[in-house]
Amino acid sequence: MSEFQPKPSLEARAADDSRHGPFVYRDELGARLALAADEPKTVRTRLRLMGAVAALLEEGGLHDLRVADCAARAGLAHGTFYRYWPDRSAAARDVLGDFMATVRARRPVSAPGTALYPRIVAANRYYVRVYRANAGLMRCLMQLGNVEAEFARIGQEANLALAARVVRAWERADPALDLPPHERIARALACIAMVEGVLRDLYVRPALAPLASMGEDEVADMLSTAWFRILFGRDPPRRGRKAG
Protein backbone atom coordinates (compact mmCIF):
# COMPACT_ATOMS: atom_id res chain seq x y z
CA MET A 1 0.00 0.00 0.00
CA SER A 2 1.31 3.45 -0.86
CA GLU A 3 2.61 5.59 2.01
CA PHE A 4 0.22 8.28 0.77
CA GLN A 5 -2.83 6.01 0.80
CA PRO A 6 -5.43 7.84 2.90
CA LYS A 7 -6.73 5.54 5.61
CA PRO A 8 -8.10 5.98 9.13
CA SER A 9 -5.18 6.33 11.52
CA LEU A 10 -4.86 4.42 14.77
CA GLU A 11 -6.19 7.47 16.56
CA ALA A 12 -9.11 7.75 14.13
CA ARG A 13 -10.07 4.13 14.66
CA ALA A 14 -9.83 4.52 18.41
CA ALA A 15 -12.06 7.61 18.32
CA ASP A 16 -14.55 6.17 15.84
CA ASP A 17 -18.03 6.06 17.33
CA SER A 18 -19.87 5.42 14.04
CA ARG A 19 -20.91 9.05 13.69
CA HIS A 20 -21.96 10.31 10.32
CA GLY A 21 -22.58 13.77 8.95
CA PRO A 22 -20.80 17.07 8.31
CA PHE A 23 -17.81 18.02 10.43
CA VAL A 24 -15.03 20.56 10.84
CA TYR A 25 -11.80 18.59 10.63
CA ARG A 26 -9.98 20.62 13.27
CA ASP A 27 -12.85 19.91 15.68
CA GLU A 28 -12.75 16.24 14.70
CA LEU A 29 -9.07 16.07 15.66
CA GLY A 30 -9.83 17.89 18.90
CA ALA A 31 -12.48 15.30 19.72
CA ARG A 32 -10.02 12.49 19.02
CA LEU A 33 -7.49 14.12 21.33
CA ALA A 34 -10.08 14.41 24.10
CA LEU A 35 -10.90 10.71 23.73
CA ALA A 36 -7.21 9.79 23.78
CA ALA A 37 -6.62 10.79 27.41
CA ASP A 38 -5.64 7.23 28.34
CA GLU A 39 -3.61 6.59 25.19
CA PRO A 40 0.21 6.66 25.15
CA LYS A 41 1.79 10.10 25.11
CA THR A 42 3.09 9.52 21.57
CA VAL A 43 -0.48 9.13 20.31
CA ARG A 44 -1.62 12.29 22.05
CA THR A 45 1.37 14.29 20.85
CA ARG A 46 0.83 13.17 17.28
CA LEU A 47 -2.82 14.26 17.49
CA ARG A 48 -1.76 17.65 18.85
CA LEU A 49 0.61 18.09 15.94
CA MET A 50 -2.02 16.91 13.44
CA GLY A 51 -4.43 19.49 14.84
CA ALA A 52 -1.81 22.21 14.46
CA VAL A 53 -0.96 21.17 10.90
CA ALA A 54 -4.66 21.02 9.97
CA ALA A 55 -5.30 24.49 11.41
CA LEU A 56 -2.34 26.02 9.56
CA LEU A 57 -3.29 24.32 6.30
CA GLU A 58 -6.86 25.58 6.66
CA GLU A 59 -5.71 29.13 7.36
CA GLY A 60 -2.68 29.58 5.14
CA GLY A 61 -2.57 26.83 2.56
CA LEU A 62 0.00 24.21 1.68
CA HIS A 63 2.79 26.48 0.48
CA ASP A 64 2.89 28.58 3.66
CA LEU A 65 3.19 25.60 6.02
CA ARG A 66 6.30 25.81 8.24
CA VAL A 67 7.63 23.25 10.72
CA ALA A 68 8.34 25.92 13.33
CA ASP A 69 4.77 27.20 13.08
CA CYS A 70 3.36 23.66 13.46
CA ALA A 71 5.38 23.04 16.62
CA ALA A 72 4.53 26.43 18.08
CA ARG A 73 0.82 26.01 17.30
CA ALA A 74 0.85 22.64 19.08
CA GLY A 75 2.78 24.11 22.05
CA LEU A 76 5.66 21.69 21.51
CA ALA A 77 9.40 21.93 21.00
CA HIS A 78 10.55 22.33 17.40
CA GLY A 79 12.38 19.02 17.43
CA THR A 80 9.27 17.10 18.50
CA PHE A 81 7.83 17.53 15.02
CA TYR A 82 10.63 15.45 13.50
CA ARG A 83 9.79 12.46 15.66
CA TYR A 84 6.65 12.03 13.56
CA TRP A 85 7.47 13.41 10.10
CA PRO A 86 10.73 14.09 8.24
CA ASP A 87 9.47 17.36 6.79
CA ARG A 88 6.43 19.57 6.31
CA SER A 89 5.41 17.81 3.09
CA ALA A 90 5.15 14.45 4.85
CA ALA A 91 3.03 16.03 7.59
CA ALA A 92 0.72 17.63 5.04
CA ARG A 93 0.31 14.35 3.16
CA ASP A 94 -0.47 12.50 6.38
CA VAL A 95 -3.01 15.05 7.62
CA LEU A 96 -4.70 15.54 4.25
CA GLY A 97 -4.86 11.78 3.73
CA ASP A 98 -6.57 11.40 7.09
CA PHE A 99 -8.93 14.24 6.21
CA MET A 100 -9.92 12.43 3.00
CA ALA A 101 -10.50 9.21 4.94
CA THR A 102 -12.64 11.10 7.46
CA VAL A 103 -14.77 12.60 4.69
CA ARG A 104 -15.49 9.08 3.45
CA ALA A 105 -16.07 7.65 6.91
CA ARG A 106 -18.59 10.34 7.87
CA ARG A 107 -20.77 10.04 4.75
CA PRO A 108 -24.48 9.69 5.60
CA VAL A 109 -25.94 6.20 5.54
CA SER A 110 -29.34 5.90 3.86
CA ALA A 111 -32.03 3.63 5.24
CA PRO A 112 -32.53 0.41 3.26
CA GLY A 113 -34.91 0.90 0.36
CA THR A 114 -34.32 4.65 0.04
CA ALA A 115 -34.87 5.77 -3.55
CA LEU A 116 -31.89 6.96 -5.55
CA TYR A 117 -32.73 10.66 -5.81
CA PRO A 118 -33.09 11.24 -2.04
CA ARG A 119 -29.77 9.44 -1.61
CA ILE A 120 -28.14 11.75 -4.15
CA VAL A 121 -29.57 14.78 -2.36
CA ALA A 122 -28.36 13.56 1.06
CA ALA A 123 -24.87 12.84 -0.27
CA ASN A 124 -24.58 16.22 -1.97
CA ARG A 125 -25.89 18.11 1.05
CA TYR A 126 -23.28 16.37 3.18
CA TYR A 127 -20.47 17.12 0.77
CA VAL A 128 -21.46 20.77 0.28
CA ARG A 129 -21.44 21.33 4.04
CA VAL A 130 -18.14 19.52 4.57
CA TYR A 131 -16.57 21.39 1.66
CA ARG A 132 -17.65 24.79 2.89
CA ALA A 133 -16.64 24.04 6.51
CA ASN A 134 -13.18 22.87 5.40
CA ALA A 135 -12.61 25.01 2.32
CA GLY A 136 -8.96 25.67 3.18
CA LEU A 137 -8.20 21.96 3.38
CA MET A 138 -10.03 21.38 0.11
CA ARG A 139 -7.77 24.00 -1.46
CA CYS A 140 -4.75 22.17 -0.04
CA LEU A 141 -5.92 18.89 -1.57
CA MET A 142 -5.85 20.56 -4.98
CA GLN A 143 -2.45 22.14 -4.27
CA LEU A 144 -0.93 18.83 -3.18
CA GLY A 145 -2.42 17.00 -6.14
CA ASN A 146 -0.71 19.52 -8.43
CA VAL A 147 2.75 18.74 -7.05
CA GLU A 148 2.44 15.12 -5.91
CA ALA A 149 1.57 12.71 -8.72
CA GLU A 150 0.95 9.90 -6.24
CA PHE A 151 -1.49 11.96 -4.21
CA ALA A 152 -3.27 13.04 -7.41
CA ARG A 153 -3.57 9.37 -8.39
CA ILE A 154 -5.19 8.55 -5.05
CA GLY A 155 -7.77 11.28 -5.62
CA GLN A 156 -8.49 9.98 -9.10
CA GLU A 157 -8.90 6.44 -7.81
CA ALA A 158 -11.25 7.67 -5.09
CA ASN A 159 -13.39 9.44 -7.69
CA LEU A 160 -13.41 6.34 -9.88
CA ALA A 161 -14.53 4.20 -6.94
CA LEU A 162 -17.29 6.70 -6.15
CA ALA A 163 -18.36 6.71 -9.80
CA ALA A 164 -18.58 2.91 -9.73
CA ARG A 165 -20.87 3.08 -6.69
CA VAL A 166 -23.02 5.68 -8.44
CA VAL A 167 -23.29 3.44 -11.49
CA ARG A 168 -24.30 0.42 -9.41
CA ALA A 169 -27.04 2.44 -7.71
CA TRP A 170 -28.12 3.84 -11.08
CA GLU A 171 -28.36 0.35 -12.58
CA ARG A 172 -30.48 -0.86 -9.65
CA ALA A 173 -32.80 2.12 -10.10
CA ASP A 174 -33.04 1.60 -13.87
CA PRO A 175 -32.64 -2.13 -14.74
CA ALA A 176 -33.48 -1.35 -18.38
CA LEU A 177 -30.57 1.10 -18.69
CA ASP A 178 -29.35 0.98 -22.28
CA LEU A 179 -25.89 2.56 -22.19
CA PRO A 180 -22.47 0.94 -22.62
CA PRO A 181 -20.40 0.58 -19.41
CA HIS A 182 -17.86 3.23 -20.39
CA GLU A 183 -20.59 5.84 -20.88
CA ARG A 184 -22.14 4.99 -17.53
CA ILE A 185 -18.84 5.58 -15.76
CA ALA A 186 -18.21 8.73 -17.82
CA ARG A 187 -21.56 10.23 -16.82
CA ALA A 188 -20.97 9.44 -13.15
CA LEU A 189 -17.51 11.01 -13.32
CA ALA A 190 -19.03 14.07 -15.00
CA CYS A 191 -21.43 14.43 -12.08
CA ILE A 192 -18.58 14.23 -9.58
CA ALA A 193 -16.44 16.72 -11.52
CA MET A 194 -19.36 19.13 -11.77
CA VAL A 195 -19.80 19.17 -8.00
CA GLU A 196 -16.08 19.66 -7.42
CA GLY A 197 -15.90 22.50 -9.94
CA VAL A 198 -18.91 24.39 -8.62
CA LEU A 199 -17.85 24.11 -4.98
CA ARG A 200 -14.27 25.10 -5.78
CA ASP A 201 -15.45 28.25 -7.52
CA LEU A 202 -18.04 28.95 -4.85
CA TYR A 203 -16.05 28.35 -1.64
CA VAL A 204 -12.32 28.14 -2.45
CA ARG A 205 -11.83 30.81 -5.09
CA PRO A 206 -15.20 32.54 -5.29
CA ALA A 207 -16.09 33.24 -8.90
CA LEU A 208 -19.77 32.37 -9.09
CA ALA A 209 -21.43 35.58 -8.01
CA PRO A 210 -24.94 34.40 -9.06
CA LEU A 211 -24.66 31.59 -6.49
CA ALA A 212 -23.25 33.69 -3.65
CA SER A 213 -26.65 34.21 -2.05
CA MET A 214 -27.64 30.53 -2.22
CA GLY A 215 -27.67 28.49 0.97
CA GLU A 216 -25.88 25.17 1.27
CA ASP A 217 -29.02 23.10 0.77
CA GLU A 218 -30.02 25.16 -2.26
CA VAL A 219 -26.63 24.54 -3.85
CA ALA A 220 -26.81 20.82 -3.04
CA ASP A 221 -30.36 20.51 -4.40
CA MET A 222 -29.39 22.30 -7.60
CA LEU A 223 -26.45 19.94 -8.08
CA SER A 224 -28.59 16.91 -7.29
CA THR A 225 -31.14 17.92 -9.93
CA ALA A 226 -28.31 18.23 -12.44
CA TRP A 227 -27.02 14.78 -11.42
CA PHE A 228 -30.42 13.23 -12.01
CA ARG A 229 -30.79 14.86 -15.41
CA ILE A 230 -27.32 13.67 -16.47
CA LEU A 231 -28.06 10.10 -15.38
CA PHE A 232 -31.71 9.73 -16.38
CA GLY A 233 -32.28 12.44 -18.99
CA ARG A 234 -35.27 13.84 -17.13
CA ASP A 235 -36.18 15.91 -14.08
CA PRO A 236 -36.09 14.17 -10.69
CA PRO A 237 -39.33 13.01 -9.09
CA ARG A 238 -41.25 15.46 -7.03
CA ARG A 239 -41.28 14.98 -3.31
CA GLY A 240 -43.78 12.44 -2.16
CA ARG A 241 -43.74 10.59 -5.47
CA LYS A 242 -41.98 7.24 -5.66
CA ALA A 243 -39.32 6.79 -8.30
CA GLY A 244 -35.81 5.51 -8.72
Side-chain angles (χ1 to χ4, degrees):
M1 180 177 290
S2 164
E3 64 175 307
F4 305 142
Q5 183 67 33
K7 56 186 182 298
S9 62
L10 173 63
E11 298 89 334
R13 292 196 295 272
D16 180 23
D17 59 1
S18 300
R19 292 174 300 160
H20 296 92
F23 63 94
V24 176
Y25 184 59
R26 283 183 290 183
D27 294 345
E28 179 77 7
L29 290 174
R32 291 185 201 173
L33 180 59
L35 290 171
D38 297 327
E39 295 291 331
K41 183 179 179 181
T42 53
V43 171
R44 290 181 279 114
T45 300
R46 185 172 184 273
L47 281 169
R48 285 174 63 185
L49 283 166
M50 287 180 67
V53 172
L56 291 168
L57 287 173
E58 178 69 36
E59 295 166 8
L62 182 67
H63 304 307
D64 290 336
L65 189 66
R66 300 287 182 272
V67 171
D69 294 337
C70 295
R73 188 70 169 254
L76 298 167
H78 186 278
T80 303
F81 178 96
Y82 293 104
R83 297 177 188 172
Y84 298 89
W85 302 290
D87 52 40
R88 64 173 188 163
S89 296
R93 288 194 297 268
D94 196 5
V95 169
L96 291 172
D98 186 79
F99 171 59
M100 290 170 64
T102 306
V103 172
R104 292 197 303 273
R106 294 286 297 266
R107 285 174 181 156
V109 177
S110 299
T114 302
L116 180 56
Y117 182 62
R119 290 166 58 193
I120 292 172
V121 171
N124 279 327
R125 287 187 175 187
Y126 165 74
Y127 193 63
V128 168
R129 289 169 182 163
V130 168
Y131 202 111
R132 185 178 185 184
N134 301 278
L137 292 175
M138 291 295 185
R139 179 183 65 247
C140 290
L141 287 175
M142 292 186 294
Q143 292 173 335
L144 188 56
N146 288 335
V147 297
E148 292 276 4
E150 179 69 0
F151 204 86
R153 181 189 62 79
I154 290 169
Q156 291 169 340
E157 290 181 352
N159 282 345
L160 190 59
L162 175 57
R165 290 196 298 273
V166 170
V167 168
R168 289 195 294 271
W170 181 16
E171 291 169 342
R172 288 194 297 270
D174 186 5
L177 182 62
D178 185 22
L179 287 173
H182 68 273
E183 185 171 342
R184 299 178 191 191
I185 284 289
R187 288 198 188 192
L189 286 171
C191 290
I192 295 167
M194 173 186 64
V195 171
E196 292 286 348
V198 168
L199 298 187
R200 178 182 62 243
D201 286 343
L202 187 56
Y203 299 131
V204 173
R205 49 188 189 205
L208 300 182
L211 300 187
S213 63
M214 294 181 69
E216 294 169 346
D217 286 352
E218 287 182 280
V219 172
D221 292 352
M222 173 197 68
L223 293 169
S224 298
T225 296
W227 269 54
F228 198 88
R229 288 171 177 164
I230 290 170
L231 298 180
F232 291 94
R234 65 179 187 272
D235 284 341
R238 295 180 181 178
R239 288 186 178 180
R241 211 176 80 195
K242 292 184 178 181

